[in-house]
Amino acid sequence: MAIFGLLILLTVAFTTFSQSIIQISTEKLTLLASDRISGHRKILKDLYCESWRFTVETNDAGIWDLVPARCEEFVKDYMTGDKYLSDLAAVADNSLAYAKTVKLSGDGKDAWIFDVDETLLSNIPFYASHGFGSEIFDEASFNKWVDMAEAPSVPASLRLYKDLEELGFTIILLTGRTELQRNATECNLQFAGYSNWERLILRKRSDHGKPATIYKSERRKHLEDEGYIIHGNSGDQWSDLLGFAVAKRSFKLPNLMYVVA
């Protein structure tokens, strides 16, 4: 009887232990499956957002209002991370490589055009509190930010800017900012390390309502009429670069936060 009772106890104990093992294994499998599903969903989201980024940078996406909701975190991580800085550096390197092949006339008419916002100056501190493209653009708030004149430089662009100066290019700045923002813009550019530009062109009252592509094309045409040869043009928007009177080479910087027509 003692042996029989011991066998019963051992059987019960083994059964209980086996059930515990099965339960733990089932829970682990459930967690693993959940992690795999979650990981798969993240991979799909990242793939979607990478493809969306590609269409934006190639201008296939056209005009869009807001960053897709599923890509808000992706855009934030990109614009504040090393990938964005690396992409900017690659554009600057390509720009400089081309600039070194240009034979300058030496008459001061060999021009390189730069846009300002997200090209020379970074507004990431502003967008950090305004959704990185996930919120409708608030012009009044942005104008207050411009007036503060505290936007930092885009590091790769500052390096390129100074290299182009040394090569002998005439630097011209062409921005969608208005004449009312001239003082703040000049102060900010100097604060960020820029100097010695030949001209800072801003929107006049007569430019109000013009699409950026038209406005900037007209200003480039005026420069050409003055005898300038526009060898290079750097901007974060396709509207900085397209239209007429285009540069011999145009260089598009990445920007996933907004699009300007």
Side-chain angles (χ1 to χ4, degrees):
M1 289 295 293
I3 294 175
F4 181 71
L6 179 61
L7 288 172
I8 291 175
L9 288 173
L10 289 172
T11 301
V12 171
F14 179 77
T15 301
T16 303
F17 176 74
S18 299
Q19 290 174 342
S20 298
I21 293 297
I22 292 171
Q23 182 179 356
I24 291 172
S25 298
T26 301
E27 289 175 352
K28 284 185 176 180
L29 287 172
T30 301
L31 287 172
L32 285 172
S34 177
D35 288 344
R36 286 176 181 173
I37 292 172
S38 177
H40 183 62
R41 285 174 178 167
K42 184 179 185 306
I43 290 172
L44 289 177
K45 179 186 286 188
D46 287 347
L47 283 173
Y48 172 85
C49 294
E50 281 287 0
S51 296
W52 175 79
R53 181 175 82 93
F54 175 80
T55 65
V56 168
E57 296 302 357
T58 56
N59 204 29
D60 291 338
I63 306 302
W64 47 274
D65 296 323
L66 295 173
V67 169
R70 64 196 290 189
C71 297
E72 290 176 9
E73 198 64 27
F74 173 89
V75 171
K76 176 183 177 182
D77 291 344
Y78 173 78
M79 297 301 299
T80 59
D82 292 337
K83 182 64 167 64
Y84 176 56
L85 295 177
S86 178
D87 289 347
L88 290 169
V91 176
D93 290 343
N94 289 337
S95 303
L96 183 59
Y98 159 69
K100 288 180 177 179
T101 69
V102 176
K103 185 175 181 180
L104 302 182
S105 63
D107 63 358
K109 296 294 186 179
D110 296 295
W112 195 290
I113 295 177
F114 282 97
D115 173 53
V116 172
D117 292 300
E118 271 61 67
T119 299
L120 294 183
L121 300 178
S122 171
N123 296 303
I124 285 180
F126 171 81
Y127 285 103
S129 58
H130 290 79
F132 286 98
S134 63
E135 299 177 7
I136 296 296
F137 179 68
D138 184 348
E139 186 173 0
S141 295
F142 183 74
N143 288 340
K144 289 180 181 178
W145 161 253
V146 169
D147 289 341
M148 292 170 64
E150 294 179 355
S153 69
V154 173
S157 293
L158 180 59
R159 171 171 58 84
L160 173 63
Y161 186 104
K162 292 185 178 298
D163 286 340
L164 292 175
E165 272 192 290
E166 290 184 5
L167 288 173
F169 284 90
T170 295
I171 307 297
I172 295 174
L173 312 184
L174 175 54
T175 174
R177 294 186 179 192
T178 70
E179 280 290 346
L180 295 175
Q181 296 168 319
R182 178 174 292 278
N183 289 340
T185 301
E186 289 179 341
C187 288
N188 199 155
L189 287 165
Q190 292 168 356
F191 164 78
Y194 299 98
S195 60
N196 302 321
W197 56 84
E198 175 70 15
R199 196 176 304 181
L200 171 59
I201 303 172
L202 302 101
R203 280 184 183 263
K204 299 178 180 179
R205 187 184 298 274
S206 58
D207 296 315
H208 180 71
K210 285 182 182 178
T213 304
I214 299 300
Y215 155 68
K216 293 201 169 186
S217 293
E218 290 177 349
R219 292 296 173 271
R220 291 195 300 267
K221 183 61 169 63
H222 291 167
L223 291 170
E224 288 185 343
D225 290 344
E226 293 177 32
Y228 287 98
I229 299 174
I230 305 174
H231 293 285
N233 185 8
S234 299
D236 65 288
Q237 299 290 319
W238 284 102
S239 57
D240 297 330
L241 313 173
L242 299 179
F244 53 90
V246 297
K248 293 184 179 298
R249 282 287 303 274
S250 296
F251 296 89
K252 170 71 168 63
L253 282 69
N255 183 355
L256 298 184
M257 295 183 294
Y258 58 85
V259 62
V260 177

